[in-house]
Amino acid sequence: MPELPEVESLRLGLNKKIIGSKILNVKIIKPKLVSSNGTLRKVNKKKEEEFKKEIIGERIKQIKRVAKNLIIELNNEKILIVHLKMTGQLVFESKRTHPKSFPKYLGKDTSEQSEEEVGFKKERIIGGHPIIKSFTDDLPNKHTAIIFNLSNGTLFYNDVRMFGYVLYFKNILEAKNHGLFKNIGLDPFDKNFTLKYFKEGLGKTNRNLKATLLDQKIVTGCGNIYTDEVCFASKVLPKRNCKSLKEKDIENIYKNIKTILKSAIKHGGSSVSDYLLADWSRGNYAREHKVYGKGGEKCSVCKNILERKIIAGRATVYCKHCQK
Ligand SMILES: [Zn+2]
């Protein structure tokens, strides 16, 4: 599942390509995804028709993000909200060719070659679960759920297990009333995410730090990877009850949430198992991980062996010597 830095990286990649594009047509192959969110959803014909009718002809103004929801803003305040959940993928394929921008992993400089020699006709921007695995894989494929024909290319939403959603709303207020952003805390880069706010939030819970950060109600952005990294950098055990945290601990956690997530976005995220970035590379923040996925290995600071335990229902790695 992509964490916040991976979704932010996709957002930045798409924003460079699709701002100003007009939605010319929409093909809904799997109507459940536009009908509602949640696992018990049913196909809603009315929603499906509204989805098409309201967005065809509109232009994309920009893409914003609330937690891991991508908010595609259209003209007239209309919005589409996309959440990739476990196995969703977005692929934008341009109409024009951009041989110079092909990824370096191809191993040769293609800038002097013709399109035929290069073997590619179109540029793709992708993010999410790696449903298509190469630059030349056919699209659409059997996992393609929605196809947006845009004035400058095509946007595909693919999903294997269909936990994700792509929902239309008249405006952001309607989405809020729908309950989509209920219980979502502040973005770590929101100006309202202050130390005072964070302290007050932690002071209200009796649970452990890992569970509190994972549930996103105070601050968003720390999934399993970044929660472990933040706890290690802050020298605090993830199983600590929030009420037991000292002033200094809270300050460190607050500071590290911001710096670690900022750095992960800069590196394009972590791509630990199966997450591809917008420019087709894999995020390289995984190289910076100090504890995540390293249970049984030596701690980079004290050289003792890192512990791996299930905390808050998730595999958690920490150093019992460095973290208190
Ligand atoms: Zn250590």
Side-chain angles (χ1 to χ4, degrees):
M1 182 189 278
E3 292 202 25
L4 186 137
E6 289 82 57
V7 176
E8 178 66 4
S9 169
L10 171 62
R11 184 184 79 85
L12 295 171
L14 286 175
N15 252 344
K16 281 184 202 154
K17 299 292 168 188
I18 67 174
I19 289 180
S21 328
K22 192 172 179 180
I23 301 174
L24 303 178
N25 207 352
V26 184
K27 187 174 179 187
I28 301 170
I29 300 160
K30 298 179 183 170
K32 272 186 185 180
L33 291 170
V34 304
S35 294
S36 54
N37 55 318
T39 47
L40 297 174
R41 63 183 145 197
K42 293 195 186 83
V43 171
N44 180 333
K45 263 277 167 242
K46 212 177 123 211
K47 268 269 176 199
E48 190 186 341
E49 274 155 28
E50 182 191 38
F51 187 93
K52 282 188 177 178
K53 190 176 138 263
E54 295 296 335
I55 71 170
I56 291 172
E58 298 294 355
R59 278 187 195 279
I60 296 173
K61 283 172 71 184
Q62 63 175 329
I63 306 179
K64 288 185 176 171
R65 182 183 55 72
V66 174
K68 293 194 286 183
N69 292 278
L70 290 170
I71 319 289
I72 303 179
E73 291 187 352
L74 309 174
N75 287 348
N76 303 313
E77 295 186 14
K78 297 174 182 181
I79 55 167
L80 291 176
I81 300 188
V82 182
H83 200 306
L84 302 173
K85 294 282 177 173
M86 302 287 284
T87 58
Q89 178 188 47
L90 275 175
V91 180
F92 171 75
E93 186 173 81
S94 70
K95 264 188 186 159
R96 288 177 49 224
T97 58
H98 296 270
K100 281 183 182 170
S101 64
F102 289 144
K104 289 195 184 70
Y105 82 94
L106 290 170
K108 56 182 179 182
D109 178 12
T110 56
S111 55
E112 299 301 314
Q113 294 169 281
S114 73
E115 282 166 20
E116 285 70 26
E117 283 171 317
V118 172
F120 297 111
K121 296 287 182 197
K122 285 161 182 167
E123 180 189 30
R124 282 177 177 174
I125 296 288
I126 75 136
H129 194 69
I131 294 169
I132 57 164
K133 288 189 163 73
S134 93
F135 228 73
T136 49
D137 279 355
D138 283 339
L139 270 178
N141 65 22
K142 65 177 177 179
H143 298 301
T144 301
I146 304 162
I147 304 170
F148 300 88
N149 286 323
L150 307 178
S151 50
N152 67 336
T154 312
L155 183 66
F156 298 88
Y157 178 82
N158 307 321
D159 203 330
V160 180
R161 296 175 67 187
M162 304 245 292
F163 292 134
Y165 50 79
V166 182
L167 300 175
Y168 163 78
F169 293 99
K170 279 191 196 78
N171 50 51
I172 194 83
L173 192 68
E174 196 189 59
K176 282 179 183 160
N177 291 339
H178 183 79
L180 268 193
F181 309 129
K182 217 166 74 185
N183 292 328
I184 290 184
L186 291 177
D187 201 86
F189 307 112
D190 189 315
K191 64 174 179 359
N192 296 317
F193 179 59
T194 60
L195 180 59
K196 184 171 172 277
Y197 162 88
F198 187 54
K199 252 182 225 171
E200 282 170 5
L202 291 181
K204 281 181 202 149
T205 176
N206 242 327
R207 293 181 310 158
N208 66 50
L209 180 59
K210 175 118 184 183
T212 306
L213 291 179
L214 279 180
D215 85 2
Q216 317 283 311
K217 282 179 190 154
I218 301 173
V219 58
T220 65
C222 290
N224 207 30
I225 301 174
Y226 301 105
T227 298
D228 283 7
E229 294 299 321
V230 164
C231 289
F232 180 78
S234 311
K235 301 187 167 71
V236 174
L237 287 167
K239 66 178 178 199
R240 277 274 296 276
N241 184 299
C242 290
K243 284 230 164 79
S244 78
L245 294 167
K246 304 265 183 312
E247 195 100 336
K248 189 72 198 156
D249 296 332
I250 297 174
E251 270 175 48
N252 285 335
I253 298 161
Y254 173 79
K255 196 184 74 199
N256 285 316
I257 288 172
K258 288 174 158 248
T259 51
I260 286 176
L261 289 174
K262 198 170 168 189
S263 172
I265 291 167
K266 207 180 109 208
H267 284 83
S270 290
S271 301
V272 167
S273 53
D274 52 8
Y275 193 77
L276 282 168
L277 293 176
D279 68 353
W280 208 259
S281 65
R282 284 179 183 267
N284 58 10
Y285 189 75
R287 266 184 248 142
E288 313 290 319
H289 293 171
K290 300 282 192 288
V291 285
Y292 179 79
K294 292 182 187 284
E297 293 179 30
K298 280 183 181 169
C299 169
S300 58
V301 176
C302 72
K303 309 299 176 204
N304 284 296
I305 299 296
L306 296 170
E307 303 262 329
R308 182 183 182 278
K309 280 217 172 99
I310 302 294
I311 298 175
R314 305 293 300 272
T316 301
V317 181
Y318 57 92
C319 176
K320 65 178 179 188
H321 299 274
C322 294
Q323 293 167 257
K324 299 291 170 200

